[in-house]
């Protein structure tokens, strides 16, 4: 019986390949078997790239056979959120409007990982155009939380988180506009990071809200997170918003020493809205940081209460502009049997978009329209500046901020679909971070009584991902438990 590699981390796989105890092909086969065994339950993948993955694995094996050295991620199996453009397979954002669409180019992150020798297993599920917090807005399927198949995996990158946690890949890529990496990472129980706006090129990321979107990784531990960030970070000529700021070696930043760190706890986040069990998890996590020598202080983010309102004005405004290009002419789906071009546009959009995407386009068009622009959009931009200033002031007093990632653990499928506002509230702790453009990560901080994961969110100063990862690493090393694996088989 061939060995099962599916629970291995990237650094373990690298060691095995380096020492010749496994081939990249064996490892890829093992993941394909795992997907075969569990994806019928989890439903993370929307497209499995079996032949492509095996070919990439063979390339790594032939390098090894020729005695060439391989990079730390060579032969490591990844999954890709279907919002990233890939030449191979389709790129659909899990929307009917992009059904069958093939991108003529690869996103920069895909290109960089491919150069690093990564094996891509396929594309994973998401809320349509990344709009949602539960992956229930996908036009393809509903992904399940591997810990409890009745529950959602979070969203919008629910497929990316579920695939990592169900051992259907080692790591994956997602996008985060208001929490879509950190929230599903917390609800499924893995590490997920939204880098600083500009740290990772967005070239080839289908845009939802361009001033908020960032690409980031999901991994099984912080060590793997650093390895992926080493590859995907840095300036890209093809994305003018990518920053020309040197990228440190994140792996070297991981030290179990946080005695120089001050952790800020924002008083506005620890209110009655926070589920008591989640509060207790975060308090225990903070105690561990304190025991490792970190100083803990209270900070204030006074404009927190406006974050959700501001976010839903800005993200819908930007989405209404970004999604205008899907008109049935250039991409994907076009409505048949129409009398003229106007009817073609209208019918394509009506049939092609799901309800949440339509709601956002309508809201966005409204807040940008003449007479409402000043009252909504402009005012939201002003409050966004105040939210950013809150963080700047808090970071005068501390190096990282610790919060819950999500106010509750994973909820049941269908529980919030009838009430969009209730769904929007799931992002209360993650949204301000995108408005401010700062980096944030989520690291598992234990299981609740009912056996569902919870996440500790750590926020950092712009472009200081290294400190964030160091604190997360120290926590992971000293938290004294491992959440284990979901009981899938
Ligand atoms: N849940 C938020 C929304 O629906 C965030 C989504 C995201 O980060 N892509 O917009």
């Amino acid at each position: 019986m061939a060995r099962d590699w599916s629970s291995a981390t990237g650094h373990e796989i690298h060691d095995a390949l380096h020492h010749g105890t496994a081939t990249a092909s064996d490892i890829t086969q093992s993941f394909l078997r795992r997907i075969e065994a569990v994806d019928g339950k989890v439903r993370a993948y929307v497209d499995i790239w079996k032949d492509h993955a095996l070919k990439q694995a063979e390339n790594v094996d032939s390098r090894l056979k020729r005695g060439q050295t391989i990079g730390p991620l060579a032969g490591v199996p990844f999954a890709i959120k279907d919002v990233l453009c890939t030449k191979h397979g389709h790129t659909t954002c899990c929307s009917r409007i992009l059904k069958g669409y093939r991108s003529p180019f690869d996103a920069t992150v895909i290109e960089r990982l491919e150069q690093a020798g990564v094996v891509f297993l396929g594309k994973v599920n998401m809320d349509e155009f990344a709009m949602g917090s539960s992956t229930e807005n996908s036009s393809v399927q509903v992904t399940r939380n591997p810990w409890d198949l009745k529950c959602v995996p979070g969203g919008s990158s629910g497929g990316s988180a579920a695939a990592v946690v169900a051992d259907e890949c080692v790591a994956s890529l997602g996008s985060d506009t208001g929490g879509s990496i950190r929230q599903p990472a917390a609800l499924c129980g893995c590490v997920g990071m939204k880098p600083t706006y500009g740290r990772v090129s967005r070239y080839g990321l289908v845009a939802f809200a361009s001033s908020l979107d960032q690409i980031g990784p999901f991994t099984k531990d912080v060590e793997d997170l650093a390895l992926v960030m080493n590859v995907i970070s840095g300036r890209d000529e093809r994305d003018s918003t990518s920053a020309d700021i040197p990228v440190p070696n994140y792996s070297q930043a991981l030290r179990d020493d946080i005695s120089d760190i001050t952790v800020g706890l924002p008083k506005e986040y620890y209110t009655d809205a926070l589920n008591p069990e989640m509060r207790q998890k975060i308090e225990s996590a903070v105690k561990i940081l304190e025991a490792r020598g970190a100083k803990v202080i209270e900070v204030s983010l006074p404009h927190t209460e406006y974050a959700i309102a501001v976010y839903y004005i800005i993200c819908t405004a930007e989405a209404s502009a970004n999604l205008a290009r899907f008109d049935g002419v250039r991409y994907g789906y076009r409505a048949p049997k129409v009398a003229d071009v106007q009817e073609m546009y209208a019918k394509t959009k009506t049939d092609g978009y799901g309800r949440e995407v339509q709601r956002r386009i309508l809201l966005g068009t409204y807040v940008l329209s003449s007479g409402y622009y000043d009252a909504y959009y402009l005012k939201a931009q002003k409050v966004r500046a105040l939210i950013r200033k809150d963080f700047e002031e808090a970071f005068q007093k501390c190096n990282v901020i610790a919060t819950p990632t999500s106010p509750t653990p994973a909820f049941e499928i269908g529980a919030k679909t009838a009430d969009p506002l209730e769904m929007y509230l799931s992002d209360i702790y993650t949204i301000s971070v995108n408005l401010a453009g700062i980096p944030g990560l989520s690291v598992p901080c234990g299981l609740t009584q009912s056996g569902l994961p919870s996440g500790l969110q750590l926020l950092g100063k712009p472009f200081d991902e290294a400190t964030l990862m160091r604190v997360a690493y120290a926590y992971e090393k000293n938290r004294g438990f491992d959440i284990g694996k979901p009981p899938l088989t």
Side-chain angles (χ1 to χ4, degrees), residues 130-133 156 175-180 208 311-312 315 360 427:
M131 298 175 188
S133 309
S156 64
S175 63
D176 188 313
T177 305
S180 278
F208 160 14
Y311 172 83
Y312 277 96
C315 86
R360 305 258 180 138
D427 301 314

Side-chain angles (χ1 to χ4, degrees), residues 301-357:
L301 300 170
H303 296 90
T304 297
E305 63 175 305
Y306 307 112
I308 291 197
V310 166
Y311 172 83
Y312 277 96
I313 292 171
I314 293 175
C315 86
T316 57
E318 294 185 16
S320 72
N322 277 326
L323 271 60
R325 73 191 67 174
F326 304 111
D327 55 6
V329 177
R330 274 170 299 177
Y331 308 95
Y333 175 76
R334 177 182 299 172
K337 295 193 209 105
V338 287
D340 56 26
V341 72
Q342 286 305 331
E343 195 187 335
M344 191 278 286
Y345 288 149
K347 236 178 153 294
T348 297
K349 288 179 185 260
T350 309
D351 301 348
Y353 289 135
R355 286 184 70 80
E356 183 61 27
V357 174

Side-chain angles (χ1 to χ4, degrees), residues 226-241:
L227 291 175
V228 184
M229 284 299 294
N230 285 339
V231 173
I232 66 173
S233 305
R235 170 77 183 159
D236 173 15
E237 290 302 324
R238 294 173 298 185
D239 171 5
S240 62
T241 63

Side-chain angles (χ1 to χ4, degrees), residues 81 127 129-134 137 155-157 175-183 208 213 311-312 315 356 360 423-424 427 430-431 434:
K81 184 178 185 181
D127 284 301
F129 285 106
M131 298 175 188
S133 309
S134 66
N137 295 336
S156 64
S157 316
S175 63
D176 188 313
T177 305
S180 278
I181 293 175
R182 291 158 288 152
Q183 186 256 21
F208 160 14
D213 298 340
Y311 172 83
Y312 277 96
C315 86
E356 183 61 27
R360 305 258 180 138
M423 188 72 91
Y424 297 172
D427 301 314
T430 49
I431 264 172
N434 302 70

Side-chain angles (χ1 to χ4, degrees), residues 196-214:
T196 312
Y197 186 79
R199 177 83 294 182
V200 174
S201 166
R202 289 181 296 115
Y203 179 76
L205 167 69
V206 179
F208 160 14
S210 312
S211 77
L212 303 161
D213 298 340
Q214 252 302 279

Side-chain angles (χ1 to χ4, degrees), residues 13 17 24 28 53 55-61 63 70-78 110-120 231:
I13 286 177
L17 292 175
T28 301
K55 214 184 297 150
Q56 286 176 316
E58 273 164 30
N59 288 341
V60 175
D61 288 334
R63 285 186 65 92
I70 54 162
L73 289 178
V76 175
F78 270 64
I110 300 295
E111 226 174 67
R112 289 189 181 176
L113 285 168
E114 205 147 63
Q115 272 159 17
V118 154
V119 169
F120 290 121
V231 173

Side-chain angles (χ1 to χ4, degrees), residues 25-347:
S25 306
D26 292 340
I27 289 166
T28 301
Q29 292 281 9
S30 175
F31 277 90
L32 291 167
R33 282 196 302 276
R34 175 73 182 175
I35 294 171
E36 181 91 40
V38 303
D39 203 54
K41 290 181 189 163
V42 180
R43 300 185 209 171
Y45 280 85
V46 294
D47 195 11
I48 299 164
W49 296 357
K50 183 169 173 227
D51 296 338
H52 186 77
L54 289 170
K55 214 184 297 150
Q56 286 176 316
E58 273 164 30
N59 288 341
V60 175
D61 288 334
S62 58
R63 285 186 65 92
L64 284 166
K65 252 192 230 132
R66 289 197 299 264
Q68 292 171 331
T69 54
I70 54 162
L73 289 178
V76 175
F78 270 64
I80 308 165
K81 184 178 185 181
D82 200 23
V83 71
L84 290 164
C85 289
T86 54
K87 280 194 283 202
H88 189 78
H90 295 138
T91 299
T92 74
C93 298
C94 292
S95 176
R96 278 191 300 280
I97 214 159
L98 279 174
K99 201 167 175 194
Y101 174 69
R102 284 181 180 275
S103 166
F105 62 91
D106 278 326
T108 297
V109 287
I110 300 295
E111 226 174 67
R112 289 189 181 176
L113 285 168
E114 205 147 63
Q115 272 159 17
V118 154
V119 169
F120 290 121
L121 295 169
K123 290 256 175 109
V124 282
N125 200 23
M126 56 184 282
D127 284 301
E128 183 178 7
F129 285 106
M131 298 175 188
S133 309
S134 66
T135 315
E136 291 165 293
N137 295 336
S138 166
S139 74
V140 184
Q141 62 200 13
V142 177
T143 297
R144 315 280 162 149
N145 190 307
W147 288 92
D148 181 346
L149 300 172
K150 290 192 301 303
C151 291
V152 302
S156 64
S157 316
S160 307
V164 167
V165 171
D167 289 340
E168 298 182 71
C169 61
V170 174
S172 62
L173 292 174
S175 63
D176 188 313
T177 305
S180 278
I181 293 175
R182 291 158 288 152
Q183 186 256 21
L187 269 46
C188 288
C190 63
V191 176
M193 170 143 117
K194 181 201 93 77
T196 312
Y197 186 79
R199 177 83 294 182
V200 174
S201 166
R202 289 181 296 115
Y203 179 76
L205 167 69
V206 179
F208 160 14
S210 312
S211 77
L212 303 161
D213 298 340
Q214 252 302 279
I215 298 170
F218 290 86
T219 57
K220 293 185 192 188
D221 63 13
V222 178
E223 215 173 316
D224 275 6
L225 174 67
L227 291 175
V228 184
M229 284 299 294
N230 285 339
V231 173
I232 66 173
S233 305
R235 170 77 183 159
D236 173 15
E237 290 302 324
R238 294 173 298 185
D239 171 5
S240 62
T241 63
S242 70
D244 200 2
I245 296 178
V247 180
N249 183 323
Y250 294 117
S251 303
Q252 280 169 11
L254 305 183
R255 283 179 286 118
D256 182 7
D257 174 9
I258 51 168
S259 51
D260 58 330
I261 296 291
T262 302
V263 179
L265 304 180
K267 64 171 190 245
E268 293 80 3
Y269 283 41
Y270 295 91
T271 63
D272 292 344
L274 178 60
N275 162 316
E277 217 184 339
M278 298 305 261
R279 174 194 290 261
Q280 180 259 316
K281 294 272 178 242
I282 302 302
E283 283 169 358
S284 327
V286 169
K287 282 210 183 87
I288 289 169
L289 298 177
E290 214 167 5
R292 298 305 297 167
K295 195 171 143 210
V296 177
I297 60 164
E298 186 181 271
V299 293
S300 174
L301 300 170
H303 296 90
T304 297
E305 63 175 305
Y306 307 112
I308 291 197
V310 166
Y311 172 83
Y312 277 96
I313 292 171
I314 293 175
C315 86
T316 57
E318 294 185 16
S320 72
N322 277 326
L323 271 60
R325 73 191 67 174
F326 304 111
D327 55 6
V329 177
R330 274 170 299 177
Y331 308 95
Y333 175 76
R334 177 182 299 172
K337 295 193 209 105
V338 287
D340 56 26
V341 72
Q342 286 305 331
E343 195 187 335
M344 191 278 286
Y345 288 149
K347 236 178 153 294

